[in-house]
Amino acid sequence: MSDVQTTDTTAPDPDPDEQAAYTPRAIVEDDLGGSFADAVDATLVTVEDGAIVTGTVVRVDRDEVLLDIGYKSEGVIPSRELSIRNDVDPDQVVSVGDDLEALVLTKEDKDGRLVLSKKRAQYERAWGDIERIKEEDGVVSGPVIEVVKGGLIIDIGLRGFLPASLVELRRVRDLQPYVGKSLEAKIIELDKNRNNVVLSRRAWLEETQREQREDFLANLKSGEVRKGVVSSVVNFGAFVDLGGMDGLIHVSELSWKHVDHPGSVVAVGDEVEVQVLDVDLDRERISLSLKATQQDPWQEFATSHRVGELVYGRVTKLVPFGAFVQVGDGIEGLVHISEMSAHHVDLPEQVVTPGEELWVKIIDLDLQRRRISLSIKQAAEGGVVAAEYQEHFGEHAYDDQGNYIGPSVEHSPEADEAWAEYYAESGEAPPPTATPDDGSGAAQGAGAADAEGADAEGGDAAEGAEAPEAAAEAVAPDAVEVEPEAEVPDEA
């Protein structure tokens, strides 16, 4: 067995004296320029409340975002401080790695956190721009982010309020379709203390369309008749789109009749024909009239009636000094209390009641002032009836004794039933029904034979007479004896 030589590779233990005598490397340059603590502090960002800092998003949670701004700890941005929009998801606003600005709200809250606000930083930056644009009378633009009571909220770096009445040239009722759209507007009110910015898109539209509006107004003349569409209805009238601008029909110009509310005459979307009353170039306002394109009922009434005529009307209202009576469509006249009766009247309700229909005489007609004076007591004295009543109530419709001999009125079953109920309730006996007999027929023939110069109208009068006494007088006494209560039948 041969011998094998081996080499010992184990290093010898260092000499304890040599280890104790180790000298560290000498520093040839002091590059800190101060203490180590000062050097560490110098690497951190200095923050103060209200300062705007820049950082990088390192984490996005449901209720907060962490932002590294180089401070000793990350800053916390609560979700409510991320955007001027309400109830937003942080993931929709920022992402990890985004660089953004934030305003220091609290350097150290009760939990020792640095609290930041992205929207406050955005607000501070935007406010300076908004003030500059306002001074320059410029225009801002941004998306509509919300519909609130009375208008819209536009994101212009801060929450700008656009009133509903200033969204378009005419008022818009449904604002929801504007959400998400980008709109341009003028700044009309600015208050930083109240964080209030009021916008007007209408002012911007008027400015951009001023030349077109001026041309439209210059070509519009008073007295013209134009067609348009009702764009809105308000308490004092209705606005009509004439195809370039809106004009106003005041409530007094909607109809010749009294109008309680414009909505009872027109509605939004109605196509109407209007007359231009006035064009105000300085104020850019157009006054219109709907009734001017319609027949004036007062003019029509004045043309077809004259003082002294009898007209039939309905009592509409009682007042201390008399009663108003409607004598035509939209035409009312006044019966003064002194013209109600031949005897003294203290109160109008002693003579008439609202809804009552009666004959009145026209005693004065003032077309310019649109006033008609009527009389009940003079109507009772008789007179000539107006043309529209001549067929039934003219002189030819009455005989010499004043009995009605005009066109007969056919009674409907409904009318007969109503009369039956009336007599049943009042307890009065209904009049006897006329039945033809030989005596009445003979009387009719004898009357026709004895009447001297009787014409066709006289024969019709005897035939259609409703009063039995009149029929008896029309018959020759020697020809036949007619009892006073006998009735002459309508047909022989």
Side-chain angles (χ1 to χ4, degrees), residues 161-334:
F161 176 63
L162 177 59
S165 59
L166 301 180
V167 174
E168 298 284 354
L169 294 175
R170 67 181 70 90
R171 188 175 181 88
V172 179
R173 295 184 179 275
D174 185 11
L175 298 176
Q176 201 61 41
Y178 288 89
V179 176
K181 291 184 178 180
S182 182
L183 302 180
E184 295 178 296
K186 304 276 287 186
I187 303 170
I188 59 175
E189 186 177 333
L190 205 58
D191 189 339
K192 188 173 183 179
N193 293 329
R194 297 171 57 192
N195 191 22
N196 188 30
V197 180
V198 181
L199 309 174
S200 172
R201 183 168 180 262
R202 177 176 178 177
W204 176 76
L205 291 173
E206 289 177 344
E207 185 176 284
T208 56
Q209 300 178 13
R210 184 173 301 278
E211 185 175 346
Q212 298 177 3
R213 291 167 63 86
E214 290 177 353
D215 291 343
F216 184 87
L217 290 171
N219 295 324
L220 197 63
K221 305 298 181 184
S222 298
E224 280 187 40
V225 175
R226 293 285 188 101
K227 291 184 178 180
V229 178
V230 178
S231 57
S232 65
V233 178
V234 291
N235 290 333
F236 53 86
F239 287 95
V240 177
D241 182 2
L242 298 177
M245 290 184 63
D246 279 8
L248 172 65
I249 307 176
H250 191 266
V251 64
S252 61
E253 293 294 332
L254 281 171
S255 175
W256 293 104
K257 304 177 185 179
H258 173 72
V259 178
D260 292 322
H261 189 275
S264 62
V265 181
V266 293
V268 174
D270 287 353
E271 294 186 2
V272 293
E273 191 173 58
V274 294
Q275 185 180 83
V276 179
L277 296 181
D278 182 60
V279 179
D280 189 335
L281 297 177
D282 295 331
R283 301 170 68 190
E284 294 189 347
R285 292 186 176 180
I286 306 170
S287 298
L288 305 173
S289 174
L290 180 62
K291 73 178 186 181
T293 62
Q294 303 167 348
Q295 177 67 38
D296 182 357
W298 281 86
Q299 182 65 54
E300 187 177 359
F301 186 89
T303 302
S304 58
H305 296 80
R306 64 179 186 273
V307 173
E309 286 185 339
L310 296 175
V311 291
Y312 200 64
R314 179 175 57 85
V315 178
T316 58
K317 182 172 62 174
L318 301 184
V319 290
F321 50 85
F324 285 94
V325 178
Q326 181 178 344
V327 293
D329 189 15
I331 305 295
E332 289 189 1
L334 173 65

